[in-house]
Amino acid sequence: MASPIGSVSSSRGISITLLFLVAGFWSVSAMSATQTTTPKSGGQVTFGVTTEPVCFNPQRSEQQNSFILSRNLVDSLLAKDVSGRFLPWLAREWTVSADGRIYVFKLREGVTFHDGTPLDAEAVKFNLDFVRDKANTNAAGQLLQAVEHVEATASHEVTLHLAKPDSALLESLASIRLGILSPKSLQSGDRLCSGGPALAGSGPFKFESYVRGQSASFVRNDAYNWAPGYAAHQGPAYLDRLIVRFLPEYSVRAGALSSGQVDVIEGIQPTDIGLFKDQPGFQFIIGPSGAQTSFTLNVNYTIPPATDIRVRRALRDGADIAALVDSVYLGTVRRAWSNIAPDNPFYDKSLDGSWGKNVEQANRLLDEAGWTGRDSEGFRTRDGQRLAIEVGYPQPFVRDNRDILIQGLQAQLRKNLGFDLRLRFITGGEWAQQKEKGNWTIYPNTYLPADAAQELSANIGEQGFIRGVADKGDKELFRLINDALQATSQDEKTRLVRAAQRRAVDQAFIVPLFSANYQLAARDTVHGLSFETQLDSPSNFHDVWLTAK
């Protein structure tokens, strides 16, 4: 079976223990979660999460915290294990032509969607065509830009014809964002964003009910027998039901776990870690930082004053980011040097320590740029205008104290430079409009998918956040990213991705802040918790089971 760079089409197995050995940085506390007791079927787990999905439809959503829920409902064509290999899932095998432009996928037989519709080649073709159709405004469409057309070449065989090689295609097809939904479900319209039984995937759980602002419930799919290649078991999930409660307050989530109101939580406040780590009755688990990007300020360098590289470099270097990250996260995350996460094999280690915390130089750059005046509040001015740039943060995406970190950066830049970094919370709709028009200024985010070239493309490439004003963008950066996407050798792709990272940091198009990860705390009666390598996110609950309390 032929595969493009960086992929293998068979093998299986993922465990929490192996995951963190590979990551080389994180560890697991209370290893009771992985003790070898025979799994038992039955029971219900309640999962407390930080943010409520704006949209449950993974093909449309751009909110990472929505994917940790929709993954329980939706399967992908391929899976990815901890070593980076691509494994069977809905596709049992695949081949790739020597020129990287024809992909043939042979599908599992006997798979059905939650609404009873069979999964076959026509269903997969319908999904991929639906996502590619710009009229459907699916965010996942950007992952299939190289695909020219999709063909159902047999009842359970799908062929993708590419206009040009895409080194990220297998990664994209393993992503929840290209998860396969029932064609009948997709044809039902935009209400899929609202969740409920109409959102019919083929996953181990079915959508039972949703109460906005409170909870969502999922019930076991008893027909499930097509788990991904890395799953710990085949057949239906062990749990009867999964309840997700939306608990945005840190203290409320921690209190709910401590008191037994929920069984698992994510997004643990650093000061609350001690309640669960190495404590009887609990387990504390930290995920990897390799698939998603680091939490980064993406700068729209086509709008003044960020059109001036001196202003951007002053923004990049005018604060002590490491100290800010440590003060907010208490050593539980790493300060970032690139928007590619440090556990990603394409990460450029030469960037470590190469920028930041140079207040004297930052002030000198601003003086050279003519920002030499001061207003009554001490902010720099030029020609009567204050030196100010807005950070527009969509409220639905705020989590894990990221707003607190930006506020700390805001305070340091004001004190050190007289730079007015303005944090404003915006709606998801306002962000979508800004992105379309290209009039956003700074956008803070982490991002999927896990392929480094695709991450760069979707963030800072010409089809990324800047696409509305891409004609004014940095052509050399775009070239490096586009060439990386089409690279046919691992060495060439690595060279190009690392060159793109260096250019983005050198030109201060980005200000990376910290390498994000998910943290889970759970009662020790919950077993089988793990992380999906392709997401860096908690896996679905297919392998999770309970012992008596």
Side-chain angles (χ1 to χ4, degrees), residues 28-31 273-284:
V28 179
S29 295
M31 289 303 295
I273 289 174
L275 298 174
F276 310 113
K277 184 177 181 181
D278 301 323
Q279 295 301 312
F282 297 100
Q283 53 186 304
F284 178 72

Side-chain angles (χ1 to χ4, degrees), residues 304-320:
T307 49
D308 190 330
I309 190 173
R310 295 169 295 188
V311 172
R312 299 197 304 270
R313 284 176 171 168
L315 170 65
R316 182 194 66 186
D317 296 340
D320 187 344

Side-chain angles (χ1 to χ4, degrees), residues 213-518:
Q214 297 183 35
S215 64
S217 63
F218 311 100
V219 294
R220 180 171 55 205
N221 176 11
D222 290 328
Y224 197 69
N225 195 31
W226 44 85
Y230 58 71
H233 83 287
Q234 290 296 314
Y238 295 122
L239 298 174
D240 295 327
R241 178 176 277 103
L242 171 66
I243 305 295
V244 178
R245 290 182 59 191
F246 309 120
L247 303 173
E249 298 294 328
Y250 288 98
S251 59
V252 172
R253 282 197 308 280
L257 179 58
S258 296
S259 63
Q261 298 176 57
V262 301
D263 304 289
V264 185
I265 61 173
E266 55 90 21
I268 297 91
Q269 180 90 336
T271 53
D272 290 336
I273 289 174
L275 298 174
F276 310 113
K277 184 177 181 181
D278 301 323
Q279 295 301 312
F282 297 100
Q283 53 186 304
F284 178 72
I285 311 168
I286 302 178
S289 298
Q292 62 182 307
T293 59
S294 298
F295 184 60
T296 299
L297 301 183
N298 299 276
V299 181
N300 186 344
Y301 51 90
T302 71
I303 296 177
T307 49
D308 190 330
I309 190 173
R310 295 169 295 188
V311 172
R312 299 197 304 270
R313 284 176 171 168
L315 170 65
R316 182 194 66 186
D317 296 340
D320 187 344
I321 293 174
L324 287 169
V325 169
D326 284 345
S327 69
V328 174
Y329 298 103
L330 306 180
T332 60
V333 299
R334 286 172 281 185
R335 178 259 170 88
W337 299 101
S338 169
N339 58 347
I340 299 299
D343 294 331
N344 192 303
F346 291 93
Y347 174 66
D348 188 348
K349 290 182 171 58
S350 72
L351 289 172
D352 290 4
S354 66
W355 59 273
K357 196 183 177 182
N358 193 339
V359 174
E360 181 179 353
Q361 173 69 7
N363 275 301
R364 185 161 53 249
L365 288 171
L366 294 177
D367 288 342
E368 291 175 2
W371 296 95
T372 54
R374 295 278 177 164
D375 64 17
S376 60
E377 296 182 64
F379 290 109
R380 285 179 176 266
T381 61
R382 187 181 69 183
D383 301 327
Q385 297 295 314
R386 177 182 288 187
L387 176 58
I389 302 180
E390 180 178 282
V391 178
Y393 202 165
Q395 183 67 57
F397 300 169
V398 178
R399 60 185 174 96
D400 299 340
N401 285 331
R402 298 178 183 196
D403 53 332
I404 304 300
L405 180 63
I406 295 173
Q407 289 167 1
L409 179 63
Q410 183 182 48
Q412 281 206 14
L413 291 174
R414 176 175 184 169
K415 176 183 177 182
N416 295 345
L417 307 181
F419 196 127
D420 189 5
L421 189 71
R422 298 173 177 173
L423 175 61
R424 184 170 73 90
F425 298 106
I426 62 177
T427 66
E430 184 177 356
W431 163 239
Q433 292 176 0
Q434 288 181 352
K435 185 168 54 173
E436 189 66 27
K437 295 177 180 178
N439 62 1
W440 57 278
T441 46
I442 292 180
Y443 176 53
N445 79 314
T446 53
Y447 197 82
L448 295 167
D451 181 85
Q454 186 62 259
E455 285 178 342
L456 292 175
S457 176
N459 280 265
I460 56 177
E462 61 186 328
Q463 296 300 319
F465 306 136
I466 206 169
R467 63 177 176 264
V469 285
D471 58 315
K472 302 176 184 177
D474 187 79
K475 300 303 185 290
E476 175 61 12
L477 179 64
F478 296 165
R479 182 193 68 79
L480 291 168
I481 293 171
N482 292 337
D483 286 354
L485 282 171
Q486 297 183 56
T488 55
S489 79
Q490 185 86 357
D491 288 346
E492 179 66 2
K493 182 172 183 176
T494 300
R495 182 189 69 79
L496 290 162
V497 168
R498 290 178 178 173
Q501 290 173 68
R502 290 193 298 272
R503 181 160 184 83
V505 169
D506 175 69
Q507 297 294 303
F509 298 146
I510 57 174
V511 183
L513 298 177
F514 73 92
S515 300
N517 57 54
Y518 274 91

Side-chain angles (χ1 to χ4, degrees), residues 17 26 37 43 83 86 98 103 116 141 148 181 186 214-215 218 264 381 387-388 408 510:
T17 308
W26 303 110
T37 307
S83 71
F86 294 101
Y103 288 66
E148 197 168 56
L181 298 171
L186 285 172
Q214 297 183 35
S215 64
F218 311 100
V264 185
T381 61
L387 176 58
I510 57 174

